Amino acid sequence: MKSIGIIGCGWLGSKVADRLKANFELHVTTRTPKDAETLSLFVNSTTLISFSDSGVMNIERWKLIHSLDILLVMIPFSIRNSSPYQIKHKMNNLINFIGDFQGQIFFTSSTGVYPKKHKNYSEDDLPIEVNDIEYQIKKSYPQVNILRLGGLMGADRLLRNYNPKDLTSSVNHVHYHDVCSVIIKMIEKEHHK
């Protein structure tokens, strides 16, 4: 049985873990004792850790990183609420935690990284902070698969809960079941990059 690590087992990470639990050994990280207690009901191990983007914090390598076959990084890097220094600090902590992992890696990002203008975007349109985040992750882990997700839906996140002001505006939505299916398919095909 392959072993998967999920860094950042929050709303999406816990749903991915729940979907993978039948076929994989799961080791996860989360920020709160309450989440750790809930996750311990269906994962093999839970590590409490926060990749804070403020303050000075030197994080050591995850002790079980070399026992993992696959790694899913599902912690957010918000360029709207953090300074470039905070983002860099958070990324350095993440890279220290992962170390020199050589297995298959997934890194979840967001379509929210693009400017709020009505047009088709390419990777060249990304703000410099996002380019720096993804450049660092690609430089450290060339095998990384970046999944840019937008409008995560499902479970308690229902379209009827949102009241858009402009009914003609474009939106991006993806159901967490679809995200899980894509990850599973990429794992099966051993897709790298």
Side-chain angles (χ1 to χ4, degrees):
M1 181 177 285
K2 285 192 174 183
S3 179
I4 295 181
I6 302 176
I7 297 175
C9 224
W11 188 87
L12 179 60
S14 62
K15 287 167 179 38
V16 171
D18 188 51
R19 179 88 178 268
L20 297 174
K21 69 184 178 189
N23 298 313
F24 298 93
E25 181 180 305
L26 297 176
H27 303 277
V28 303
T29 74
T30 192
R31 293 183 303 167
T32 68
K34 181 181 177 188
D35 288 344
E37 185 178 332
T38 302
L39 289 163
S40 69
L41 299 174
F42 65 93
V43 302
N44 298 80
S45 72
T46 306
T47 301
L48 276 173
I49 190 162
S50 175
F51 295 92
S52 177
D53 55 5
S54 61
V56 176
M57 190 176 193
N58 292 317
I59 292 178
E60 294 180 13
R61 182 163 300 144
W62 199 4
K63 293 188 182 351
L64 54 83
I65 194 74
H66 291 296
S67 67
L68 302 174
D69 300 298
I70 301 156
L71 186 62
L72 282 67
V73 179
M74 305 184 110
I75 59 173
F77 281 86
S78 173
I79 63 170
R80 292 188 181 134
N81 301 324
S82 301
S83 71
Y85 169 79
Q86 291 170 318
I87 290 170
K88 182 178 180 183
H89 180 72
K90 189 173 187 176
M91 179 56 73
N92 288 340
N93 278 338
L94 175 65
I95 290 171
N96 286 343
F97 191 67
I98 297 172
D100 60 351
F101 184 74
Q102 298 297 309
Q104 189 178 28
I105 298 180
F106 295 85
F107 180 81
T108 58
S109 186
S110 169
T111 58
V113 299
Y114 295 111
K116 290 188 176 192
K117 295 179 186 172
H118 292 274
K119 72 172 231 155
N120 291 327
Y121 289 100
S122 73
E123 297 302 287
D124 296 331
D125 295 315
L126 290 174
I128 190 69
E129 294 89 349
V130 174
N131 279 330
D132 285 348
I133 292 167
E134 292 184 3
Y135 171 78
Q136 280 290 45
I137 203 89
K138 288 176 188 176
K139 181 180 170 192
S140 298
Y141 312 101
Q143 77 275 25
V144 70
N145 297 291
I146 296 176
L147 304 177
R148 197 160 290 127
L149 311 172
L152 289 166
M153 301 299 276
D156 57 338
R157 293 185 179 184
L158 303 172
L159 197 53
R160 70 173 182 235
N161 297 342
Y162 300 90
N163 296 314
K165 293 177 183 161
D166 180 4
L167 296 177
T168 63
S169 65
S170 299
V171 294
N172 291 311
H173 291 292
V174 62
H175 198 283
Y176 76 85
H177 281 293
D178 295 326
V179 175
C180 294
S181 295
V182 166
I183 290 171
I184 290 168
K185 187 59 75 177
M186 291 176 78
I187 289 171
E188 288 170 356
K189 293 193 176 285
E190 297 181 1
H191 192 275
H192 294 277
K193 196 172 171 191

